[in-house]
Amino acid sequence: TAGITQAPTSQILAAGRSMTLRCTQDMRHNAMYWYRQDLGLGLRLIHYSNTAGTTGKGEVPDGYSVSRANTDDFPLTLASAVPSQTSVYFCASSAGGDRQTNEQFFGPGTRLTVL
Amino acid sequence: GQNIDQPTEMTATEGAIVQINCTYQTSGFNGLFWYQQHAGEAPTFLSYNVLDGLEEKGRFSSFLSRSKGYSYLLLKELQMKDSASYLCAQLDSNYQLIWGAGTKLIIKP
């Protein structure tokens, strides 16, 4: 069972360039999330989607955009990367709805370096 | 915003017991999660508490006191493979997770 996959595993990106981080889940989960994780800080929510066709802003949405055209895919786009976006990015999903089903499952992460 | 507080780092000895504490703000509480994250890997689910008391799952147990805004993760019979970061996360009123910065647990032989 694949669960959640992310691509690429790592990337070095020049400042000012755009990039899309891909995330796909095969668990038919309604909710999906994008987090960034920086040393000494907790996971910070960038954007989320409670169901296909809807998205919402998290704690740190600036500089990022998402789309949720279908249940399985939730790509994260950086339109014009800046060095402060250097981080490890995790995609996660959950069944959503009531709290008993809100366990989140994480992808393996994408390590992004913006120079 | 809501704050989740947990120690930055703890050290324990193989075979011993360690308790990792977490405090959170009690407003808008819908549950408390613990996740384990090995270096360079993704977080994985350990436990979920929504009612007061202790939930035991093998060598790991998690405790919750809603009135005190307090939880702990108890790890027994520590093994070297338990060296990891342990993340506390509160499910808020919007059913979003608010994450602590994590506690790095170092196990010494």
Side-chain angles (χ1 to χ4, degrees), chain B residues 9-96:
Chain B
E9 186 175 297
M10 300 181 70
T11 302
T13 304
E14 189 177 15
I17 299 173
V18 70
Q19 177 176 311
I20 303 174
N21 296 325
C22 171
T23 58
Y24 63 90
Q25 294 188 8
T26 56
S27 61
F29 177 80
N30 275 313
L32 196 291
F33 286 83
W34 284 96
Y35 279 74
Q36 180 189 59
Q37 186 177 25
H38 285 100
E41 298 183 7
T44 56
F45 170 80
L46 286 177
S47 68
Y48 169 71
N49 295 68
V50 66
L51 299 176
D52 290 350
L54 188 68
E55 296 269 349
E56 297 188 71
K57 193 183 295 185
R59 293 189 299 112
F60 292 7
S61 303
S62 56
F63 172 83
L64 178 68
S65 169
R66 289 173 296 172
S67 62
K68 296 181 180 178
Y70 169 68
S71 172
Y72 67 72
L73 182 69
L74 190 71
L75 292 74
K76 303 176 185 177
E77 301 170 16
L78 286 170
Q79 302 175 9
M80 298 303 294
K81 67 178 182 180
D82 298 330
S83 292
S85 288
Y86 291 87
L87 313 181
C88 175
Q90 175 185 354
L91 194 62
D92 72 8
S93 57
N94 294 316
Y95 295 101
Q96 301 288 358

Side-chain angles (χ1 to χ4, degrees), chain A residues 33 35 37 40-43 45 48 50 90 99 102-104 106-107, chain B residues 30 33 35 37 41-43 45 48 50 91 95-97 99-101:
Chain A
Y33 314 86
Y35 292 97
Q37 188 175 41
L41 300 176
L43 288 160
L45 184 65
Y48 66 93
N50 286 330
F90 287 104
R99 54 193 175 188
N102 251 334
E103 174 189 344
Q104 293 186 12
F106 285 79
Chain B
N30 275 313
F33 286 83
Y35 279 74
Q37 186 177 25
E41 298 183 7
F45 170 80
Y48 169 71
V50 66
L91 194 62
Y95 295 101
Q96 301 288 358
L97 284 177
W99 296 83

Side-chain angles (χ1 to χ4, degrees), chain A residues 33-88:
Chain A
Y33 314 86
W34 273 106
Y35 292 97
R36 59 178 291 173
Q37 188 175 41
D38 302 291
L39 196 64
L41 300 176
L43 288 160
R44 292 184 292 169
L45 184 65
I46 304 170
H47 285 287
Y48 66 93
S49 169
N50 286 330
T51 189
T54 69
T55 62
K57 294 182 179 180
E59 179 186 355
V60 289
D62 294 343
Y64 306 95
S65 63
V66 292
S67 61
R68 187 85 184 278
N70 57 60
T71 298
D72 298 345
D73 301 301
F74 191 43
L76 176 74
T77 298
L78 288 69
S80 179
V82 295
S84 62
Q85 292 178 308
T86 294
S87 187
V88 179

